[in-house]
Amino acid sequence: MIERELNFEGTSPILYLIPTPIGNLSEWSPRILSLVEEADFVAAEDTRNASSLLSHFNLKKATISCHEHNEEEAGAKIVELLKEGKKVVYMSDAGYPGISDPGERLVRRCLGEGIKVSVASGPSAFANALVVSGLSTKHFHFEGFLPAKESERTARLHQLIKNEDTLIFYEAPHRILKTLIAMAATLGDRKAALCRELTKAHEEIIRGSLSELALLPEESLRGEMVIVVEGYFNHEEIDDQTIAFALKEQLEYGLRGKEAVKRVCETLDVKKNRVYEIYLKTFER
Ligand code: SAM
């Protein structure tokens, strides 16, 4: 039999997940402020960041550190406090806990201990980026961060080639160009949007094809970024320029002519004769 209890009624303890601003502090809503105000403890991914956010709002709270590496022990402490009747909220550094941030294990632990979990609404970088991208919002796939290791990143991108949903990635500024190049070479030169510094004073949405975005000056790509990429489309419509770009990437990567042609046929799913012709025309003159 499934046990049911409304989140805001009944007697079971409840953990509140609190999204934090992704840049603009005024996005901390009155509801969030009152949930934090009422809390006995603020558990946070980084207690220093949490404390400076709290002090901006003149809130002074006891904090508990709960991050990726101590989620197990910190989770046990949080459960104990909640069972004692204390009010605990949990927040990560930016956006929603649990979205490319710690929180998932804490939620599962609480649920396993009969503790209810509720979440206040707030900003998350992926949702902001998707809706301003200009790409389809009907179906989307949130990927978060790709692996940092090149071979693993390429392998993961390969798995995403045929995904028809709009793809959403998080990326650190020092890897952004490499990632855009890898995406153009693997996914094909699709439409994309680079959403930079969302909600902050220098918010910028740069729309173009992946290869165009990969040519942007590195020094102009500072701050936090989300990459939104068009989903898989009919590859017979891929233009010659995209194929030439993908070939160039493979040749620069060190593959020989025939190997590069084979790799591009596989990744872009286009006929070998066509890729070979473009190779001869572009690189064998
Ligand atoms: N939990 C967060 C959320 O719900 O969006 C994500 C945290 S993840 C560790 C950090 C990544 O989110 C950054 O590397 C960047 O890709 C993205 N991000 C966070 N704030 C952003 C902003 N203001 N503008 C663009 N991207 C942002």
Side-chain angles (χ1 to χ4, degrees), residues 99-133:
I99 305 287
S100 295
D101 261 346
E104 185 187 319
R105 271 188 286 162
L106 178 63
V107 168
R108 264 204 298 273
R109 179 174 205 129
C110 286
L111 296 177
E113 299 271 356
I115 293 168
K116 296 182 286 192
V117 180
S118 184
V119 61
S121 307
S124 189
F126 85 86
N128 285 34
L130 174 67
V131 297
V132 292
S133 66

Side-chain angles (χ1 to χ4, degrees), residues 187-199:
L187 301 176
D189 199 12
R190 305 182 186 184
K191 281 191 212 158
L194 194 55
C195 306
R196 202 172 70 81
E197 297 287 79
L198 291 162
T199 78

Side-chain angles (χ1 to χ4, degrees), residues 119-158:
V119 61
S121 307
S124 189
F126 85 86
N128 285 34
L130 174 67
V131 297
V132 292
S133 66
L135 300 172
S136 170
T137 55
K138 196 162 185 204
H139 300 287
F140 58 90
H141 167 87
F142 173 70
E143 179 68 12
F145 291 98
L146 285 166
K149 207 169 155 202
E150 194 172 326
S151 56
E152 289 171 21
R153 187 178 57 201
T154 307
R156 182 62 195 148
L157 283 170
H158 270 272

